[in-house]
Tab-separated table of all heavy atoms in Angstrom:
chain	number	residue	atom	x	y	z
W	1158	ILE	N	113.155	77.627	121.895
W	1158	ILE	CA	112.815	77.941	120.514
W	1158	ILE	C	113.750	79.030	120.004
W	1158	ILE	O	113.990	80.015	120.681
W	1158	ILE	CB	111.357	78.401	120.400
W	1158	ILE	CG1	110.418	77.296	120.859
W	1158	ILE	CG2	111.033	78.821	118.982
W	1158	ILE	CD1	108.965	77.690	120.911
W	1159	GLN	N	114.274	78.791	118.840
W	1159	GLN	CA	115.143	79.783	118.227
W	1159	GLN	C	114.496	80.304	116.966
W	1159	GLN	O	113.963	79.534	116.174
W	1159	GLN	CB	116.503	79.169	117.868
W	1159	GLN	CG	117.288	78.713	119.080
W	1159	GLN	CD	118.571	78.006	118.662
W	1159	GLN	OE1	119.190	78.369	117.678
W	1159	GLN	NE2	118.959	76.994	119.409
W	1160	MET	N	114.592	81.593	116.777
W	1160	MET	CA	114.055	82.197	115.561
W	1160	MET	C	115.165	82.963	114.860
W	1160	MET	O	115.931	83.680	115.475
W	1160	MET	CB	112.894	83.130	115.882
W	1160	MET	CG	112.260	83.729	114.651
W	1160	MET	SD	110.853	84.797	115.019
W	1160	MET	CE	109.614	83.623	115.482
W	1161	THR	N	115.232	82.786	113.563
W	1161	THR	CA	116.245	83.456	112.763
W	1161	THR	C	115.566	84.348	111.742
W	1161	THR	O	114.651	83.915	111.052
W	1161	THR	CB	117.108	82.413	112.016
W	1161	THR	OG1	117.652	81.509	112.968
W	1161	THR	CG2	118.228	83.074	111.252
W	1162	LEU	N	116.020	85.570	111.662
W	1162	LEU	CA	115.535	86.463	110.618
W	1162	LEU	C	116.297	86.136	109.350
W	1162	LEU	O	117.511	86.320	109.272
W	1162	LEU	CB	115.747	87.923	111.026
W	1162	LEU	CG	115.215	88.980	110.054
W	1162	LEU	CD1	113.702	88.891	109.919
W	1162	LEU	CD2	115.633	90.364	110.505
W	1163	GLU	N	115.581	85.633	108.357
W	1163	GLU	CA	116.241	85.085	107.179
W	1163	GLU	C	117.013	86.134	106.379
W	1163	GLU	O	118.135	85.919	105.995
W	1163	GLU	CB	115.193	84.425	106.278
W	1163	GLU	CG	114.764	83.061	106.755
W	1163	GLU	CD	115.877	82.037	106.650
W	1163	GLU	OE1	116.414	81.886	105.543
W	1163	GLU	OE2	116.213	81.405	107.649
W	1164	ASN	N	116.405	87.241	106.113
W	1164	ASN	CA	117.045	88.246	105.263
W	1164	ASN	C	117.557	89.411	106.097
W	1164	ASN	O	117.362	90.569	105.749
W	1164	ASN	CB	116.075	88.722	104.183
W	1164	ASN	CG	114.685	88.957	104.737
W	1164	ASN	OD1	114.437	88.749	105.936
W	1164	ASN	ND2	113.763	89.393	103.914
W	1165	SER	N	118.225	89.059	107.166
W	1165	SER	CA	118.617	90.102	108.113
W	1165	SER	C	119.623	91.084	107.517
W	1165	SER	O	119.633	92.261	107.872
W	1165	SER	CB	119.163	89.479	109.393
W	1165	SER	OG	120.389	88.871	109.132
W	1166	GLU	N	120.472	90.595	106.620
W	1166	GLU	CA	121.446	91.516	106.009
W	1166	GLU	C	120.732	92.591	105.205
W	1166	GLU	O	121.109	93.755	105.222
W	1166	GLU	CB	122.423	90.738	105.115
W	1166	GLU	CG	123.437	89.920	105.884
W	1166	GLU	CD	124.334	90.768	106.783
W	1166	GLU	OE1	124.755	91.854	106.352
W	1166	GLU	OE2	124.596	90.353	107.921
W	1167	LEU	N	119.690	92.159	104.520
W	1167	LEU	CA	118.914	93.123	103.738
W	1167	LEU	C	118.226	94.119	104.659
W	1167	LEU	O	118.238	95.326	104.430
W	1167	LEU	CB	117.881	92.379	102.895
W	1167	LEU	CG	117.075	93.216	101.901
W	1167	LEU	CD1	117.999	93.930	100.924
W	1167	LEU	CD2	116.090	92.331	101.149
W	1168	TRP	N	117.667	93.575	105.728
W	1168	TRP	CA	117.025	94.445	106.716
W	1168	TRP	C	118.032	95.440	107.272
W	1168	TRP	O	117.726	96.611	107.466
W	1168	TRP	CB	116.437	93.606	107.849
W	1168	TRP	CG	115.067	93.074	107.571
W	1168	TRP	CD1	114.749	91.803	107.205
W	1168	TRP	CD2	113.823	93.774	107.665
W	1168	TRP	NE1	113.389	91.672	107.061
W	1168	TRP	CE2	112.800	92.874	107.339
W	1168	TRP	CE3	113.476	95.090	107.983
W	1168	TRP	CZ2	111.449	93.225	107.320
W	1168	TRP	CZ3	112.140	95.452	107.970
W	1168	TRP	CH2	111.134	94.527	107.641
W	1169	LYS	N	119.211	94.953	107.531
W	1169	LYS	CA	120.221	95.836	108.123
W	1169	LYS	C	120.610	96.946	107.159
W	1169	LYS	O	120.819	98.083	107.580
W	1169	LYS	CB	121.459	95.026	108.508
W	1169	LYS	CG	121.286	94.233	109.785
W	1169	LYS	CD	122.556	93.443	110.055
W	1169	LYS	CE	122.275	92.267	110.953
W	1169	LYS	NZ	123.444	91.368	111.021
W	1170	SER	N	120.721	96.577	105.888
W	1170	SER	CA	121.118	97.619	104.939
W	1170	SER	C	120.045	98.704	104.859
W	1170	SER	O	120.348	99.877	104.683
W	1170	SER	CB	121.418	97.023	103.564
W	1170	SER	OG	120.358	96.238	103.125
W	1171	PHE	N	118.796	98.298	105.012
W	1171	PHE	CA	117.727	99.302	105.069
W	1171	PHE	C	117.773	100.053	106.391
W	1171	PHE	O	117.585	101.264	106.442
W	1171	PHE	CB	116.368	98.635	104.883
W	1171	PHE	CG	116.007	98.387	103.453
W	1171	PHE	CD1	116.320	97.177	102.852
W	1171	PHE	CD2	115.377	99.354	102.699
W	1171	PHE	CE1	116.000	96.944	101.516
W	1171	PHE	CE2	115.049	99.132	101.359
W	1171	PHE	CZ	115.369	97.920	100.772
W	1172	HIS	N	118.049	99.309	107.429
W	1172	HIS	CA	118.016	99.903	108.766
W	1172	HIS	C	119.068	100.993	108.925
W	1172	HIS	O	118.824	102.009	109.580
W	1172	HIS	CB	118.227	98.801	109.808
W	1172	HIS	CG	118.112	99.271	111.218
W	1172	HIS	ND1	116.937	99.759	111.750
W	1172	HIS	CD2	119.039	99.373	112.209
W	1172	HIS	CE1	117.132	100.107	113.017
W	1172	HIS	NE2	118.392	99.883	113.321
Side-chain angles (χ1 to χ4, degrees):
Chain W
I1158 299 175
Q1159 296 175 35
M1160 183 178 287
T1161 305
L1162 183 63
E1163 282 292 305
N1164 43 359
S1165 69
E1166 287 299 319
L1167 186 58
W1168 275 103
K1169 283 179 202 170
S1170 53
F1171 278 92
H1172 184 65

